[in-house]
Amino acid sequence: MNWLDTILQGVLLGGLYALFAAGLSLVFGIMRLVNLAHGDLIVVAAFLILVLVTGLGLNPFLAALVALPVMFAAGWALQYFILNRTLGDDILPPLLVTFGLSIVIQNALLEGFSADSRRVPAGSLETMSLPLGPVTVGVMPLLTFLSAIAVIVVLNQIFYRTALGRAFRATSDDMVTAGLMGVEPKRIFATATGIAMVVVTIAALYLGTRANFDPTIGPARLIYAFEAVIIGGLGSLWGTLLGGIIIGVAQTVGAAVNPEWQILAGHLAFLIVLLVRPRGLFPRAID
Amino acid sequence: MPQWGIETKTRASRAFLSVAAIVVAAGIAAPLFLSRSTIQDLFFILTMLVLAQCWNLLAGYAGLVSVGQQAFVGFGAYAMFACVSLAGFDPLIAIVLGGVAATLLSLPLGFFVFRLQGAYFAIGTWVVAEVVRLLLAQWRALGGGTGTSLPNTATRDMWAARLVADLLGVRSAQALDILTYWLALLLACLTMGFIYWLLRTRQGLGLAAIRDNQEAARSVGVDAASLKWAVYVSVAFVTGVCGALIYVQKARISPDAAFSVIDWTAYVIFIVVIGGIGTLEGPIVGVIVFFLLQNTLADYGSWYLLVLGLIGIGVMLFAPRGLWGLFTDRTGIQFFPVRRRLVKRQEDASTDALQGGRDG
């Protein structure tokens, strides 16, 4: 059952990519901001978790729990003090500022942690697996996938069931009018980026425990996240999960054929979808 | 009755033209009195200037923020390597063919990335550049993932390099440096000449209109989509030629170096942003600042890029029109004016008499 196993691994990997993508999608959906430093922020969170695990001897999950409020605050401040200044009709300032931020983060991490590959030790969980019918799945990949589903459910609940979500949607539709109704767009945006950073921290937990990472891998994570968002169609988080799964399956199948084709196969799957359905599989937003 | 006409030149720009001519003449003569390492530095500055002018035309004028220009640098370089190593072409011809190859590549790439809007266009260009890099890393004849070197004889036996060696009485390796430097100078002049010419034509006016307001521009008959395509493809050609030229001088290629997003796009973006986006003068100022910073901070490893990134962010937040923008706001001086002004054509009427309106 080699192929079935390969595809299942790909689906579970897709959960990780969906976690990468959910924060990107959230921020773009609310303030039309594409954060080119998104991948690097995932790596920052992974290093934060690593420091908590190795420095304080915490369990990785507990470390992630400690990192969550820190990253929320960092995201809130980043948006409130820097990125809010770049928002407007011109797409250049946000792109260039976040691109600069990406370079700054990579090099600051290189200075602080060197270029060595790291991994967050997760103890026995790393190798634990469950027999699932004809195949066995690792516990960590399965947890990743279930977390992705949980994150999407929670984000959708926040978005459509709470006052905060209403403010998000209102600001996204019409910033000025929302402002007249007592919503403060700057704070709403800061909160949104804070929430995105919470998702980023969850993604970082699984990124750090499942494979090696180093300060320069951020941009590749941004690209996978972006591909998942575009394949799924802007504005649909479930579509993003499907996009992540498509990239993940393409990568594991590509790697099974020839290990050198892993990344390429994922990109080609994205290009094919872009060719056939330029607006993604489940387009929702009209912009 | 005074005669009225349209002018773009100003007194400052006329004066600058003669200064520019002197600078270019000094640049041509430079190998006679400068050391080899200085010539190599100048080569680096000139090639970065070409890449910066190209990116500036894309992002600053056509509104196409590309983070994937390394696709064309790398592809032009690889095409040049293939022409020289596999087909035995003269490197000089191979440089032009590198540009042609990059142009051909831009057609399918453009087909994909133009399906994405605005900010997503930026990441889209990055993705397709990655795809090109991964594909070329599979090309075993050119060294696969580890890369390859140009055969020594290919560059040494180039007729133009031998001519330079005989003419100046220098060794062949130095002759190659001088030759590539002259070619870089030529490419920089042609690129800037082309862009300045383009901006002063009808199409250039259309570009400026799209930059200011795409919907309004289209409503008065500017064909935005075609103009953007034309800019994307012609920039691919120049970028490809520049990439090929850089790798004739380097003589060693690998996919990771030739498609480096830091070397060929991040540096270029910082040069343009710090100098001043959307002006021809900006990249010139930017490349000088960039070179000085690099020399000052060369010993500090990744601190260099960190500082460059912080400066880039600072400029974008607090002086979005860059150093040149700060200068021109205070003095009104422009070396490459593209603003059309109405002037009175009398016998000794000052053409600077009427100023007004925004750039463009």
Side-chain angles (χ1 to χ4, degrees):
Chain A
M1 294 313 281
N2 194 8
W3 283 107
L4 187 61
D5 190 50
T6 306
I7 290 173
L8 186 65
Q9 298 306 327
V11 171
L12 296 181
L13 181 62
L16 182 65
Y17 293 161
L19 280 175
F20 292 163
L24 191 74
S25 177
L26 177 76
V27 168
F28 181 82
I30 294 172
M31 56 196 114
R32 301 291 176 276
L33 173 87
V34 171
N35 186 352
L36 293 184
H38 187 76
D40 304 287
L41 289 164
I42 298 175
V43 179
V44 167
F47 272 104
L48 180 61
I49 293 173
L50 178 72
V51 167
L52 291 170
V53 169
T54 52
L56 303 178
L58 293 179
N59 171 295
F61 290 88
L62 199 60
L65 211 58
V66 176
L68 283 180
V70 179
M71 288 302 291
F72 178 89
W76 198 94
L78 173 70
Q79 183 67 43
Y80 195 79
F81 295 109
I82 298 177
L83 297 183
N84 272 345
R85 291 166 166 271
T86 66
L87 297 177
D89 289 335
D90 192 355
I91 61 161
L92 263 171
L95 276 178
L96 299 184
V97 167
T98 54
F99 186 70
L101 189 66
S102 155
I103 303 286
V104 167
I105 291 176
Q106 283 175 46
N107 287 285
L109 288 175
L110 275 173
E111 275 303 318
F113 295 95
S114 81
D116 296 346
S117 282
R118 309 300 179 97
R119 187 167 183 163
V120 176
S124 57
L125 266 180
E126 278 176 26
T127 50
M128 222 184 266
S129 61
L130 286 176
L132 215 77
V135 291
T136 44
V137 292
V139 170
M140 283 308 277
L142 194 62
L143 273 179
T144 312
F145 191 79
L146 295 177
S147 303
I149 291 178
V151 162
I152 290 172
V153 168
V154 170
L155 284 181
N156 272 332
Q157 291 294 320
I158 293 178
F159 222 65
Y160 295 108
R161 295 277 160 81
T162 65
L164 179 65
R166 202 158 52 238
F168 280 161
R169 285 179 284 137
T171 325
S172 167
D173 287 346
D174 188 337
M175 211 172 102
V176 177
T177 313
L180 290 174
M181 301 296 139
V183 171
E184 220 179 310
K186 288 193 153 199
R187 284 175 185 278
I188 288 297
F189 290 162
T191 310
T193 305
I195 293 176
M197 286 305 108
V198 167
V199 180
V200 154
T201 312
I202 298 170
L205 168 69
Y206 294 112
L207 172 78
T209 47
R210 103 180 261 292
N212 290 337
F213 60 94
D214 67 66
T216 58
I217 65 159
R221 307 312 112 174
L222 166 74
I223 286 178
Y224 301 151
F226 160 76
E227 289 175 339
V229 172
I230 297 289
I231 290 179
L234 295 178
S236 162
L237 283 172
W238 291 113
T240 300
L241 178 65
L242 183 68
I245 290 173
I246 289 176
I247 306 275
V249 170
Q251 284 191 356
T252 50
V253 169
V257 177
N258 178 345
E260 286 185 25
W261 294 350
Q262 180 186 350
I263 311 295
L264 192 57
H267 291 329
L268 291 181
F270 161 71
L271 290 181
I272 290 169
V273 174
L274 191 58
L275 195 66
V276 191
R277 298 284 298 266
R279 299 194 359 91
L281 299 177
F282 300 105
R284 187 132 142 205
I286 305 175
D287 56 14
Chain B
M1 275 291 283
Q3 294 286 305
W4 295 88
I6 302 288
E7 274 272 0
T8 55
K9 293 194 177 73
T10 62
R11 202 185 298 154
S13 80
R14 285 207 184 80
F16 173 71
L17 215 59
S18 26
V19 175
I22 295 169
V23 170
V24 171
I28 294 171
L32 297 175
F33 48 84
L34 291 179
S35 71
R36 190 176 162 195
S37 67
T38 317
I39 292 299
Q40 287 172 343
D41 285 346
L42 285 174
F43 173 80
F44 174 70
I45 292 176
L46 286 169
T47 51
M48 290 313 274
L49 177 62
V50 170
L51 295 178
Q53 290 290 3
C54 283
W55 189 82
N56 185 33
L57 180 63
L58 271 184
Y61 288 98
L64 299 170
V65 187
S66 166
V67 195
Q69 289 311 96
Q70 67 273 22
F72 302 116
V73 172
F75 199 72
Y78 261 95
M80 182 277 292
F81 258 71
C83 290
V84 173
S85 301
L86 306 180
F89 278 71
D90 187 283
L92 280 191
I93 299 166
I95 290 173
V96 180
L97 292 178
V100 173
T103 313
L104 293 177
L105 178 71
S106 73
L107 301 175
L109 294 199
F111 179 74
F112 282 107
V113 294
F114 277 102
R115 293 176 164 239
L116 298 163
Q117 298 299 315
Y120 278 140
F121 175 89
I123 314 187
T125 58
W126 202 344
V127 174
V128 293
E130 279 296 293
V131 171
V132 177
R133 176 178 72 85
L134 291 165
L135 285 174
L136 281 179
Q138 302 288 320
W139 196 354
R140 299 272 176 255
L142 284 178
T146 48
T148 183
S149 296
L150 270 187
N152 240 331
T153 49
T155 43
R156 212 175 45 219
D157 294 347
M158 226 179 353
W159 63 268
R162 271 196 302 209
L163 189 69
V164 173
D166 291 345
L167 213 61
L168 301 179
V170 292
R171 287 166 170 278
S172 61
Q174 192 176 354
L176 184 67
D177 280 344
I178 294 173
L179 176 67
T180 49
Y181 160 74
W182 274 338
L183 290 174
L185 185 63
L186 176 70
L187 183 61
C189 291
L190 287 179
T191 306
M192 294 184 54
F194 164 70
I195 295 175
Y196 190 40
W197 167 81
L198 176 71
L199 293 179
R200 294 173 59 195
T201 59
R202 264 176 76 83
Q203 280 71 29
L205 195 59
L207 272 180
I210 295 170
R211 177 193 59 186
D212 293 340
N213 187 334
Q214 178 158 338
E215 300 312 315
R218 288 179 59 190
S219 74
V220 292
V222 176
D223 186 351
S226 308
L227 263 179
K228 287 185 174 192
W229 258 103
V231 167
Y232 184 74
V233 172
S234 41
V235 160
F237 175 75
V238 181
T239 308
V241 170
C242 192
L245 177 61
I246 291 171
Y247 277 87
V248 166
Q249 201 261 356
K250 283 188 191 271
R252 155 124 206 108
I253 201 167
S254 72
D256 289 346
F259 291 93
S260 160
V261 66
I262 299 280
D263 288 349
W264 312 126
T265 297
Y267 283 156
V268 165
I269 291 179
F270 290 137
I271 288 172
V272 177
V273 167
I274 292 171
I277 195 165
T279 62
L280 267 162
E281 298 90 340
I284 303 178
V285 177
V287 82
I288 294 169
V289 172
F290 169 73
F291 180 73
L292 294 178
L293 267 177
Q294 197 180 43
N295 269 7
T296 323
L297 296 170
D299 300 332
Y300 297 94
S302 37
W303 283 105
Y304 164 58
L305 264 169
L306 203 155
V307 169
L308 200 62
L310 286 176
I311 296 177
I313 293 174
V315 167
M316 205 64 225
L317 287 177
F318 301 108
R321 294 181 56 227
L323 294 179
W324 183 258
L326 290 178
F327 173 76
T328 202
D329 282 350
R330 278 169 183 62
T331 60
I333 292 174
Q334 285 183 311
F335 291 156
F336 298 99
V338 290
R339 176 197 300 163
R340 286 158 175 75
R341 295 167 309 127
L342 198 59
V343 289
K344 220 183 261 184
R345 290 193 202 281
Q346 275 177 333
E347 255 140 328
D348 60 342
S350 159
T351 49
D352 294 326
L354 276 159
Q355 295 262 359
R358 289 269 300 153
D359 281 6

